Each structure stands twice: as structure tokens, then as C-alpha cells.
Amino acid sequence: MLDFFSTNGTAYLVMEYLDGVTLQEKMKNEGRLPSQKLLEMFHPLMRDIGLLHSSGIIHRDISPDNIMWMPDNTLKLLDFGCARSMEDGKSMSVLLKHGFAPVEQYQTRGQGAWTDIYSLCATLYYCITGKLPTPAVERLEGGALMPPNELGAELSEKQQEALLWGLEVQPAKRPQTMELLMGQMY
């Protein structure tokens, strides 16, 4: 947000104009995206999300339609309308995006940095395979998640393990911080 003002009984936010395309649009136009290029582009985004988490905020809506690919080949995270404090102890609204929501988002409590980690890894999985990950609730009942390299992604074994770690169904089995995920991924 660059500025805000109110007039005529209405409040207005002035935000940066972004001239890019969402990852969703890019995939619609080009198909699945190159694994290593996307991992390179995700690195600063992951670092920034880690800083957001360090300040006590979770985004709760990371998905291909909320990440914009800019003309300079950087990524910008959009739509902080669902962002919440991790420390206020209040229940959170249930917010779901099919394929990108971890199991804890089906509940009003138990969300944290690990929630964004799941959604970020689901987004990366989708962008490099062209396939939505099997929804977390289906995997609770025994549904399988196909490793990304079996779907045409080109990840090192270590990168694939890190991505699958971030997509663990049970929140306690996922990396608890973005730094842990990045340490394994990079």
C-alpha cells in the first residue's frame, strides 16, 4: 500500500500498479513452467514470505492466481486480504482453494507458517507439473501424491524431497519455517 485516503464517506487504498501476469495466466498461455527457472525465481519470494512469518503474519491464500510474474522475471505475492496474525489466538475463517489448501485450513485453528509452506509448495508443484496436487483431505484417506519428476518436472532428488516435505498432509510433519524448507530446497 502506497497511500490511503477517504472521501465521500469511503476509504481508498492506493497500491502499486503491477504490469505482469499471474502464474495461472502464464500457465494457461505456456503450459507447465521450467522447474529450475521457477525455483530460481521462487527463492527471493520464499525469503520474503519467511520475513512475513517472522513478523507474525501468515498469508493464507498462496496460489498461482496470487503470484504475479513480472517483466523483469521476479515474482510478486498478491492479495493479502486473507492474511492474519499467527499470535492473536483468535479463530480464523475457513478459506480454501482446491488443490492448494492444507488440511488445517478446513478448520478455524492450527494455522501457521506451515500453512503457507504447503500452499507455496502446492503452487510450485502445479506450475512445474501442470497438474494439481492430490488434495490434502483426499490424501488423509490414503490418496497418493505423484512425485513431480514422474509428471515431467526436472528437479534434483534433494529438490523433489524438499517439495514433497512441504506437501506433507500432517502439519507437524512439514517444515515449520520457510528457512527450513529453503535449507533443504537450495
Side-chain angles (χ1 to χ4, degrees), residues 39 46 121 124 158-159 162-163 180-186:
L39 275 176
M46 292 168 77
C121 288
L124 186 54
K158 184 178 176 181
Q159 292 166 336
L163 185 59
L180 283 172
L181 177 67
M182 291 172 66
Q184 178 71 25
M185 183 80 71
Y186 298 98

Side-chain angles (χ1 to χ4, degrees), residues 29-91:
N29 295 332
E30 299 177 21
R32 83 175 183 209
L33 303 172
S35 304
Q36 294 304 317
K37 177 164 183 65
L38 207 55
L39 275 176
E40 181 184 314
M41 293 173 70
F42 261 67
H43 190 263
L45 179 68
M46 292 168 77
R47 183 197 63 231
D48 292 346
I49 293 170
L51 291 172
L52 184 71
H53 293 160
S54 295
S55 71
I57 303 294
I58 55 175
H59 187 276
R60 300 187 339 124
D61 195 16
I62 297 172
S63 64
D65 57 337
N66 282 337
I67 298 176
M68 187 167 279
W69 185 307
M70 302 304 291
D72 65 355
N73 287 324
T74 59
L75 298 174
K76 295 251 186 180
L77 184 60
L78 311 174
D79 192 359
F80 282 75
C82 295
R84 296 289 178 269
S85 170
M86 292 187 278
E87 299 167 4
D88 64 11
K90 297 177 184 173
S91 67

